[in-house]
Amino acid sequence: MFRFRPILAFMLLNSIFVPGGAQNLLDRLRPGPANLTRNVDDIKVVAGTKVKRYERIWHRICLIWCLVVDFALAQQNLKPENLEQESSAKIDWLTFPWSHRNKTNKESHLSAGLQLKDDYGQVDISSFSGFERHPCRRVCQQGQSQSCYYQLVVHNYRRLGPECQRCQFDERACADERCIYGDGVASPVMAVNRMVPGPAIELCENDTVVVDVLNYLNEPTTMHWHGIQMSRSPEMDGVPHVTQYPVEPGEVFRYEFLADRSGSLWYHSHMGWQRGFGVAGNLIVRQPHLANPHARLYDYDLVEHALMVQDIFYDYDIQQVRNILINGKGRNHLSQLPDQDARHRYERVRVTPGYRYRMRVLLNGIFNCPVEFSIEQHKLLIISTDGNDIEPVLADGFFLTSAERFDFVLEANQYAKNYWVRVRGYEQCADRKLYQGAVLSYRGAARSELPQGDILGSRQPRDQDEPPLFINDFRFKPLKNSSLTLRQFSKDQDVGTLSLRSVEPVPWPSYTKFLTYYSSLSTRQAPNGELLFQIDEISYITPGISLLQGRHLYKDDGYYSNRSSLAAQGRNCARELCEGVHVIRLPAYRAIEMVVANHMEPTHPIHLHGYTFRLVGQGVLGNQNDLKNIRELDRRGRLPRLSNDYAAVAKDTVQVPGLGYVILRFISDNPGFWSYHCHIEAHTVQGMMAVLKVGGDNQIKRIPARVGC
């Protein structure tokens, strides 16, 4: 600011000694004083006899005002942080009143930028809602970040609860009544801010996120931020008794972390069946336009086009899947009404002809229900999976297993009417013939009308000469005529996950040597008849303390259960039931390769916390003998891998095909305790989970003990 003072002094002298100088000075200043000057000129015209006196008075007012402004700016510039940035700071010549509220900085200072609520003694749940007007919902700019504060209240609620009065007859009244209509079947749910799914959180990359989670349930809860690696804050990963202690009923837990990556992410409870009851929501982290490799492929990226697909149960019957919903809405399969009946409530996605839209789809799968997603008479340009950009693939649709996400670009180039968004369920959902629909509604089409025909209709693509092309098909089939022990799979005109290609090369050189760890997925029947799910033939039991916080309170060998520790005790987990705190130890800062074999016929979606891995191998062996001898097959070179110069697709959740395997690679540069589990809710609850302890205790962030008052 000091270099501009001669200019200001010259302007002041000009205003004092030059006729009309005050007017010239004020015209150069901010709009407010200039407007006042024009008002004074009006006074001069009316009261001509007092022109000189008014002008002298006004000259003095302007002089005093300018000196005060200059002194205030000089005092601000004398602060140490401003002096350090003086040489590189950019001067804003014109500022607006609203810019101060949304000012962004490269370094976030929570105390200065946020008003955090610390007293929750009196809380009214009705005051919590969505974040449509949140200041962090903005156009992302290069080098700018904000601190973003949210409050999430997790509480018991009900589909078609007592608040639903007019909503049962008029869909437009549902939002005002905070009524969750669902599929028209009354059932208990667990809501976030009176919403199922919970409110979407929209951020920019490198924003600092602060979330207060208020537990208004009658049981403990946590919140996991799916897709965020938490490299700086492992205690915020949200896994109970692994990275934190559960949030007890009536307590508030403050999560604070850096959104250091972009993509279609999500948040959900990691406690029991709460995710199945509805505790989940979208977490969308966007990039600046220049940093987005796919920015030129679409015109709009709207939160209204983010779709969460979920299979649900009714009441507390957690053993049976009863329906599939899209953003919490859908047709009722208990009724015999046709798909086009107006009494069904469908999610509506609005588009304008001639524009291109980025859409985001995720599957919050509770049961073993992979789904197929497509849109009637439209091609989908697939551009991202699990929040990681891929080279675009034009397809008719894609498959999802639990926790997987796909982003695609939809070009609104069809006749302006309504079209079905189609979701077809498989495995357990196919047993009940479950499917669901939403409405893609073009502007110009009747808003209340439903598309013609049934939801599923025909799978025939728009171009009748080409067979339909689908991405990520979970139905791997061995070749019938293959005489090889290791069979390859064929997927008629479908592109497997392994065939997708990342826009980023693999982050390791071609000569890298990987440390290979072999893992398995299986089941075992307990003595009481319960079917337990296992990783490495061990069923996970939740520990009594949090592994991250309490790691100095026990000795690893005496507390953990894994293949080596159980073998040292003389246990044979292939013949007897093994249960315990299953912790797999891996070295830090090494190139790790995991070969995960599935000994069951159904596909299992495996999720790894703390890392984004590259998928370099995937296939079907087809029989148990080969799976049991997978180490020997691999030693003989029978498990093919992608070449090091291939940009293998990056994911955080991958489907392990039935009687097949996947090969994952990553650099273990994030020491800590990271959950590794099947993302089907029922399987996780029944033991298909383990914890990767990456690095030694001295390499893992030290977390202070929690103090309860």
Side-chain angles (χ1 to χ4, degrees):
M1 184 64 193
F2 292 104
R3 54 186 153 183
F4 295 103
R5 286 187 180 176
I7 299 176
L8 182 57
F10 173 79
M11 295 169 66
L12 290 172
L13 293 173
N14 182 66
S15 69
I16 297 172
F17 296 107
V18 179
Q23 180 65 50
N24 295 331
L25 169 65
L26 294 174
D27 287 341
R28 295 168 186 258
L29 296 176
R30 302 188 178 185
N35 292 332
L36 291 176
T37 305
R38 284 190 286 272
N39 294 336
V40 172
D41 288 340
D42 295 338
I43 296 174
K44 290 179 182 179
V45 174
V46 176
T49 58
K50 299 183 180 180
V51 169
K52 293 184 179 180
R53 187 175 66 177
Y54 279 124
E55 188 172 14
R56 286 196 301 270
I57 295 174
W58 189 248
H59 283 187
R60 295 170 184 172
I61 293 174
C62 293
L63 177 59
I64 295 172
W65 181 80
C66 293
L67 291 174
V68 169
V69 171
D70 190 37
F71 179 78
L73 292 175
Q75 290 297 318
Q76 183 179 2
N77 238 25
L78 288 175
K79 294 181 180 180
E81 60 267 25
N82 291 332
L83 290 175
E84 292 174 0
Q85 299 174 359
E86 175 68 25
S87 59
S88 60
K90 294 183 178 180
I91 301 300
D92 293 330
W93 287 95
L94 189 63
T95 58
F96 298 95
W98 56 83
S99 66
H100 298 289
R101 294 195 300 270
N102 297 335
K103 190 171 184 178
T104 58
N105 299 288
K106 293 183 179 179
E107 296 181 3
S108 62
H109 302 282
L110 299 183
S111 59
L114 293 182
Q115 295 182 353
L116 304 181
K117 184 177 178 61
D118 294 319
D119 182 11
Y120 285 98
Q122 300 293 330
V123 176
D124 182 8
I125 295 181
S126 63
S127 63
F128 294 87
S129 59
F131 308 118
E132 295 83 1
R133 297 184 179 182
H134 198 282
C136 286
R137 188 186 182 196
R138 67 196 193 278
V139 177
C140 301
Q141 301 295 333
Q142 194 73 30
Q144 295 183 347
S145 61
Q146 290 187 193
S147 296
C148 307
Y149 180 49
Y150 302 89
Q151 294 172 307
L152 300 179
V153 181
V154 182
H155 57 96
N156 291 305
Y157 214 48
R158 190 172 182 83
R159 290 193 191 96
L160 285 182
E163 62 279 350
C164 300
Q165 300 297 322
R166 293 180 294 120
C167 174
Q168 300 185 55
F169 313 101
D170 184 1
E171 186 175 1
R172 296 170 296 181
C174 296
D176 293 337
E177 293 181 344
R178 291 290 178 181
C179 170
I180 299 176
Y181 186 86
D183 58 354
V185 178
S187 183
V189 296
M190 295 179 182
V192 181
N193 293 10
R194 299 183 295 164
M195 301 172 66
V196 176
I201 295 177
E202 299 176 80
L203 304 165
C204 291
E205 191 174 13
N206 291 320
D207 280 352
T208 297
V209 187
V210 182
V211 185
D212 285 350
V213 174
L214 291 72
N215 183 8
Y216 268 45
L217 301 173
N218 54 3
E219 62 186 54
T221 189
T222 65
M223 199 67 76
H224 171 55
W225 311 94
H226 193 120
I228 301 291
Q229 297 180 10
M230 299 295 177
S231 56
R232 301 183 185 181
S233 51
E235 71 276 17
M236 298 297 168
D237 193 46
V239 182
H241 294 108
V242 176
T243 60
Q244 73 167 93
Y245 288 94
V247 186
E248 297 296 331
E251 287 188 346
V252 181
F253 189 91
R254 177 163 292 168
Y255 293 90
E256 182 179 335
F257 56 90
L258 180 69
D260 56 359
R261 56 153 304 176
S262 61
S264 296
L265 316 177
W266 59 307
Y267 64 88
H268 61 80
S269 171
H270 217 285
M271 199 84 185
W273 291 86
Q274 292 175 9
R275 180 166 61 87
F277 277 98
V279 185
N282 282 290
L283 174 62
I284 300 174
V285 184
R286 296 187 175 91
Q287 295 174 293
H289 187 273
L290 294 178
N292 185 352
H294 297 318
R296 297 182 179 180
L297 297 180
Y298 55 88
D299 304 306
Y300 292 101
D301 178 9
L302 307 175
V303 70
E304 293 84 354
H305 295 153
L307 304 178
M308 179 179 289
V309 181
Q310 180 179 345
D311 45 20
I312 66 168
F313 47 83
Y314 291 153
D315 293 321
Y316 296 97
D317 186 5
I318 57 179
Q319 302 301 321
Q320 298 187 61
V321 56
R322 303 304 297 270
N323 204 349
I324 303 172
L325 299 181
I326 302 176
N327 281 357
K329 300 179 182 178
R331 67 150 292 140
N332 185 337
H333 286 281
L334 295 180
S335 70
Q336 301 300 318
L337 299 174
D339 295 338
Q340 306 91 337
D341 194 284
R343 283 169 283 186
H344 294 310
R345 302 283 178 87
Y346 296 106
E347 177 74 354
R348 288 185 175 267
V349 181
R350 299 280 290 173
V351 296
T352 300
Y355 290 95
R356 302 165 301 169
Y357 296 86
R358 179 171 186 159
M359 298 194 176
R360 306 167 186 263
V361 182
L362 76 85
L363 175 61
N364 179 17
I366 312 304
F367 299 91
N368 181 22
C369 286
V371 300
E372 171 191 309
F373 183 96
S374 62
I375 299 180
E376 180 184 9
Q377 296 185 26
H378 286 77
K379 291 279 189 178
L380 313 180
L381 185 64
I382 317 294
I383 61 172
S384 176
T385 176
D386 292 359
N388 303 291
D389 293 322
I390 61 174
E391 293 186 358
V393 179
L394 188 63
D396 294 282
F398 51 85
F399 284 81
L400 290 168
T401 54
S402 180
E404 288 190 295
R405 292 94 69 201
F406 275 103
D407 293 19
F408 63 90
V409 176
L410 178 111
E411 185 174 359
N413 57 3
Q414 296 300 297
Y415 180 75
K417 64 174 187 176
N418 297 324
Y419 299 87
W420 284 119
V421 176
R422 296 166 168 166
V423 173
R424 182 196 301 262
Y426 287 85
E427 300 289 355
Q428 287 180 272
C429 286
D431 295 341
R432 285 186 169 269
K433 299 180 180 180
L434 297 180
Y435 62 90
Q436 197 51 264
V439 179
L440 178 69
S441 181
Y442 276 67
R443 296 192 184 278
R447 297 177 66 97
S448 59
E449 288 185 1
L450 293 176
Q452 298 178 356
D454 296 334
I455 291 177
L456 295 184
S458 172
R459 203 186 184 199
Q460 190 66 27
R462 193 174 61 192
D463 188 346
Q464 302 292 329
D465 297 332
E466 297 182 2
L469 178 66
F470 279 74
I471 305 296
N472 201 44
D473 195 341
F474 78 99
R475 299 167 299 174
F476 290 83
K477 299 178 182 178
L479 296 174
K480 295 180 180 180
N481 299 327
S482 175
S483 59
L484 297 175
T485 304
L486 174 63
R487 301 181 179 89
Q488 298 180 357
F489 56 88
S490 65
K491 306 202 296 179
D492 307 329
Q493 296 299 319
D494 291 335
V495 178
T497 317
L498 189 64
S499 302
L500 301 176
R501 191 182 185 103
S502 173
V503 298
E504 298 288 342
V506 293
W508 49 77
S510 58
Y511 54 81
T512 302
K513 300 297 183 182
F514 286 86
L515 177 65
T516 302
Y517 179 85
Y518 294 89
S519 184
S520 65
L521 311 177
S522 59
T523 59
R524 180 173 295 276
Q525 193 167 14
N528 61 359
E530 180 184 5
L531 183 65
L532 299 178
F533 290 83
Q534 298 183 315
I535 292 180
D536 299 345
E537 299 178 324
I538 303 172
S539 293
Y540 185 80
I541 294 179
T542 302
I545 61 175
S546 179
L547 299 179
L548 177 63
Q549 284 81 359
R551 64 184 183 274
H552 299 291
L553 302 178
Y554 55 82
K555 293 183 178 180
D556 290 7
D557 294 334
Y559 195 70
Y560 299 155
S561 296
N562 48 49
R563 284 186 296 206
S564 58
S565 67
L566 292 173
Q569 300 173 18
R571 303 280 300 276
N572 186 351
C573 296
R575 298 181 179 179
E576 60 178 299
L577 175 62
C578 293
E579 299 178 290
V581 182
H582 188 188
V583 178
I584 302 167
R585 286 176 286 194
L586 296 176
Y589 305 104
R590 291 284 302 273
I592 303 295
E593 179 180 78
M594 293 186 66
V595 179
V596 184
N598 181 5
H599 291 249
M600 296 165 284
E601 292 187 0
T603 296
H604 288 271
I606 289 297
H607 173 48
L608 179 60
H609 292 223
Y611 293 93
T612 296
F613 52 78
R614 298 297 183 109
L615 178 66
V616 299
Q618 187 178 36
V620 171
L621 299 179
N623 62 79
Q624 290 287 351
N625 290 331
D626 289 341
L627 290 167
K628 292 178 180 178
N629 298 309
I630 196 168
R631 289 174 182 257
E632 179 62 22
L633 288 176
D634 194 19
R635 188 185 64 83
R636 295 187 306 186
R638 307 295 294 275
L639 301 185
R641 291 160 171 81
L642 296 175
S643 61
N644 286 325
D645 59 351
Y646 189 91
V649 64
K651 292 179 68 65
D652 59 47
T653 307
V654 65
Q655 49 180 286
V656 187
L659 299 179
Y661 67 92
V662 294
I663 304 176
L664 319 175
R665 285 179 174 176
F666 59 93
I667 304 298
S668 59
D669 55 359
N670 190 13
F673 291 83
W674 303 111
S675 183
Y676 154 56
H677 62 93
C678 176
H679 216 279
I680 297 174
E681 192 91 316
H683 297 175
T684 305
V685 172
Q686 293 172 286
M688 191 175 281
M689 174 175 166
V691 175
L692 301 183
K693 181 184 179 182
V694 180
D697 289 338
N698 62 326
Q699 295 173 300
I700 299 175
K701 180 180 177 181
R702 191 176 186 91
I703 309 299
R706 187 184 70 166
V707 178
C709 299

